[in-house]
Amino acid sequence: MIRRAKLSEIGDILSITKACAVFMQEKGIFQWNEHYPSEAVFQNDVERAELFALLNNKQIIGAVVISTLMDKEYQEIQWLTPNKNNLYVHRLCVHPNFQGMGYAQKLMDFAEDHARENHFDSVRLDTFSQNNRNQIFYETRGYQRLGDVYFPKQSEHPFHCYELVL
């Protein structure tokens, strides 16, 4: 089940993102760190009603942010559609104990279905340039890589921007 997350669940979601960060770091992927994602970022996501929790047997095992706000870092990207009717996916996570079971696919299906049902032109996101697994995941779903952005507090390496036209 996927539903909007509550403020009281941010601690659980942060535990998942921390477990994901350790899991990625063990594979040499330094995508998330002590600065990101933060409690303040998730609080803002909940206040905007954009943070969704993935539950398995009433336990939160993953999350995703589905937003209408375009990050300033995205402004220089040559997107496939105009910058006025798009959804942005951020902070997709599935606890490492539940990875490889199709849960990330379910979260993305949910985000893309939400975009289609609400008549958005596209879904946009970024993924870390050093995370080949994520790149393959999004490209297999039909996303097109369009350019790179940098988030200095996260990494010296770029993040690839992707868009799926609906």
Side-chain angles (χ1 to χ4, degrees):
M1 175 173 113
I2 300 172
R3 60 155 173 76
R4 280 198 165 78
K6 304 169 191 163
L7 276 173
S8 61
E9 297 168 328
I10 290 175
D12 294 332
I13 294 169
L14 278 170
S15 294
I16 293 168
T17 61
K18 286 182 172 129
C20 288
V22 169
F23 186 72
M24 287 187 288
Q25 290 166 6
E26 289 170 353
K27 297 178 182 305
I29 301 168
F30 297 91
Q31 179 173 339
W32 287 348
N33 58 32
E34 67 276 6
H35 302 291
Y36 185 87
S38 68
E39 182 175 354
V41 168
F42 283 127
Q43 285 176 343
N44 187 49
D45 294 335
V46 170
E47 289 166 9
R48 289 185 44 79
E50 297 178 339
L51 178 60
F52 294 85
L54 169 66
L55 286 80
N56 182 25
N57 294 326
K58 299 183 182 179
Q59 174 190 4
I60 296 176
I61 62 166
V64 65
V65 173
I66 304 170
S67 178
T68 56
L69 290 179
M70 183 170 92
D71 289 346
K72 66 179 174 14
E73 290 84 359
Y74 286 179
Q75 291 174 355
E76 300 303 315
I77 299 298
Q78 297 300 307
W79 298 102
L80 300 171
T81 60
N83 293 335
K84 54 184 166 186
N85 191 34
N86 318 94
L87 273 186
Y88 299 87
V89 170
H90 298 294
R91 297 178 277 291
L92 176 86
C93 61
V94 174
H95 193 283
N97 293 346
F98 294 92
Q99 290 183 10
M101 299 178 187
Y103 289 113
Q105 296 279 5
K106 288 182 186 194
L107 286 166
M108 286 306 298
D109 289 345
F110 178 81
E112 292 163 9
D113 289 346
H114 177 81
R116 284 184 190 95
E117 290 165 9
N118 291 283
H119 309 288
F120 285 92
D121 295 333
S122 71
V123 178
R124 297 173 175 177
L125 54 87
D126 66 73
T127 192
F128 191 46
S129 62
Q130 307 301 299
N131 192 334
N132 291 327
R133 181 180 175 198
N134 277 7
Q135 293 169 48
I136 292 167
F137 174 73
Y138 294 120
E139 290 167 9
T140 300
R141 295 185 68 84
Y143 285 77
Q144 294 182 55
R145 182 176 153 194
L146 301 172
D148 290 343
V149 294
Y150 288 85
F151 298 101
K153 287 188 176 182
Q154 282 181 257
S155 175
E156 62 186 34
H157 299 287
F159 286 73
H160 300 323
C161 290
Y162 286 86
E163 185 171 21
L164 176 69
V165 178
L166 302 174

